[in-house]
Amino acid sequence: MGHCLAKPKNDGDDSDHNVEFAGGNVHLITTKESWEQKLAEAEKDGKIVVANFSASWCGPCRMIAPLYVELSEKHPSIMFLTVDVDELTEFSTSWDIKATPTFFFLKNGQQIDKLVGANKPELQKKMVAILDSESPCQT
Amino acid sequence: MESDLQTLKTRLCIVGSGPAAHTAAIYAARAELKPILFEGWMANDIAPGGQLTTTTDVENFPGFPEGIGGIDLMDKCRAQSVRFGTQIFTETVSKVDFSGFPFKIVSDSRTVLADSVIVATGAVAKRLNFTGSDTFWNRGISACAVCDGAAPIFRNKPLAVIGGGDSAMEEANFLTKYGSKVYIIHRRDEFRASKIMQNRALSNPKIEVVWNSAVAEAYGERTLGGLKVKNVKSGEVSDLEVSGLFFAIGHEPATKFLDGQLDLDSDGYVITKPGTTLTSVKGVFAAGDVQDKKYRQAITAAGSEVLANTEIKLVGGQASQMPDQHFGCMAALDAEHYLQEIGSQEGKSD
């Protein structure tokens, strides 16, 4: 496993789990408007966006959340978003999310990489890769 | 001689993070054994808490009349362990050494030297291999109906379950809530499930059994579209259009990390002395799904009063919580007696 199969949540009583997903410099996205706003902001600032599609009931998502928060604090030049797949079900489906967590790496709104599963070393590797691909004048 | 890893000493080290491990931790901590517990970092691709973290609502655990979420239940167990003084490391044990004394338990960050060990690493649901089984894994093929059955790709579509035990019956019934039809594909001509579970499945109008058959191939485009099913008696291959396939064929114990240091049965479960948590190594105990099933059932069959109420059928990932607790508790007590026997004292240096 290492991830959960994405599905619509039946009842909504784990709202307090969301606190684990926000934190550090991670922005929790719960509406389509805030997603579009953040993406526009990133494009204006020339920032790469990492979007973490997660669910509060998903064990692996919670496992990788602390590392994600840590990365957001270490790399302020990158925009870190977390999308709650239950709050934004249709939106997540439009991204073809089949399992959580799924990480998308976006540049200028285009997908440049993707990672499925709570894979700590892979996530770190992909972070290094996109940082390296950044132009030298950006930290 | 000393590695770069931090080395800790303890009287009891517990490897695992499910109900058995935490029950053992709670009892051990309350017995002032100051246990160290390794809950794993996505060990076996499962979050700490074990199989229950892959379940949504747990309805059959006593004490929760409204049911409780799997993750919530395990969060509570963990909190209880911590409350009484268990030191928990979110690290995966990469190897152990039970050949000498004290026992060594090693993760990426530290080595623990323990006077006694409880192995409670559980088991993962088994999967089958055939053409397409990897391609469509999580694209229609799953090993947990309860976890995944509600996904949109299965809604009102024909689904299939492979298996013949109580798990398979339960999962097939469960899936009829979401699918238009559920096929149970079984390689023999009779189920080994309990009569009551068989009846429930067979009397469900949405369930159809495909006897003496096995899946030869899974096909589809982006997600599962259908199966080629082979009749193992006649050799005939037929087509079954389904959008989902669920394995309900049992579990695989997490014992590879032991590297043969404990006696295992032919299925990889840790062999324990009947009615106890004692393993082939004195001072090492095993509790929960990782223990061999044969003896546990034998004890149950013998009608031992202590275990009379633990003859609970395996139901998917919710496995046997009561026996886990019973054995988890037993493991802690077994460890405590052992430690007294060897005169292990707190703070005693080697």
Side-chain angles (χ1 to χ4, degrees), chain A residues 2-3 7 57 62-63 96, chain B residues 45 48 71 75 138 147 222:
Chain A
H3 52 247
K7 67 173 191 267
W57 43 262
R62 298 190 338 160
M63 284 309 286
D96 200 27
Chain B
D45 287 335
I71 290 185
D75 276 351
N138 282 332
C147 317
R222 264 180 40 226

Side-chain angles (χ1 to χ4, degrees), chain A residues 7, chain B residues 54-57 142-150 170-171 174-175 178 246 315-318:
Chain A
K7 67 173 191 267
Chain B
T54 67
T55 302
T56 48
D57 293 316
S142 150
C144 182
V146 171
C147 317
D148 306 334
E170 175 81 22
E171 300 206 358
F174 176 81
L175 289 168
Y178 300 103
F246 298 82
V315 179
Q318 293 172 34

Side-chain angles (χ1 to χ4, degrees), chain B residues 290-312:
Chain B
V290 81
Q291 276 178 282
D292 67 294
K293 310 278 172 189
K294 197 169 54 161
Y295 286 125
R296 290 170 73 188
Q297 283 165 13
I299 297 304
T300 311
S304 153
E305 181 191 84
V306 163
L307 290 168
N309 65 345
T310 63
E311 220 237 77
I312 293 173

Side-chain angles (χ1 to χ4, degrees), chain B residues 124-130 137 141-145 161-169 171 184-187 192 213-215 245-253 267 269 293 314-317:
Chain B
V124 255
K126 279 193 185 153
R127 291 154 60 166
L128 289 173
N129 266 324
F130 41 79
W137 176 253
I141 301 185
S142 150
C144 182
V161 171
I162 298 182
D166 277 353
S167 268
M169 304 298 111
E171 300 206 358
I184 300 179
I185 301 172
H186 187 46
R187 59 200 169 146
R192 63 180 168 81
S213 299
V215 174
L245 173 64
F246 298 82
F247 297 120
I249 52 172
H251 293 69
E252 170 111 27
D267 292 324
Y269 290 94
K293 310 278 172 189
L314 293 173
V315 179

Side-chain angles (χ1 to χ4, degrees), chain B residues 8-72:
Chain B
L8 296 163
K9 288 190 182 164
T10 182
R11 299 169 74 198
L12 170 62
C13 180
I14 300 172
V15 187
S17 65
H22 282 296
T23 304
I26 290 163
Y27 276 83
R30 287 168 58 86
E32 313 250 321
L33 297 182
K34 297 201 167 53
I36 286 180
L37 184 146
F38 281 100
E39 63 177 356
W41 202 100
M42 295 305 298
N44 254 349
D45 287 335
I46 297 188
Q51 299 257 43
L52 280 168
T53 64
T54 67
T55 302
T56 48
D57 293 316
V58 179
E59 309 247 276
N60 57 359
F61 197 89
F64 297 94
E66 312 296 320
I68 182 168
I71 290 185
D72 286 338

Side-chain angles (χ1 to χ4, degrees), chain A residues 1 3 11 13-15 19 21 23 36 39 44 72 76 79 85 105 111 132 138:
Chain A
M1 266 183 249
H3 52 247
D11 43 77
D13 57 358
D14 329 37
S15 50
V19 294
F21 292 131
E36 270 150 20
L39 245 62
K44 187 174 71 111
S72 75
M79 178 176 286
V85 302
F105 300 82
Q111 183 184 328
D132 283 347
Q138 287 175 340

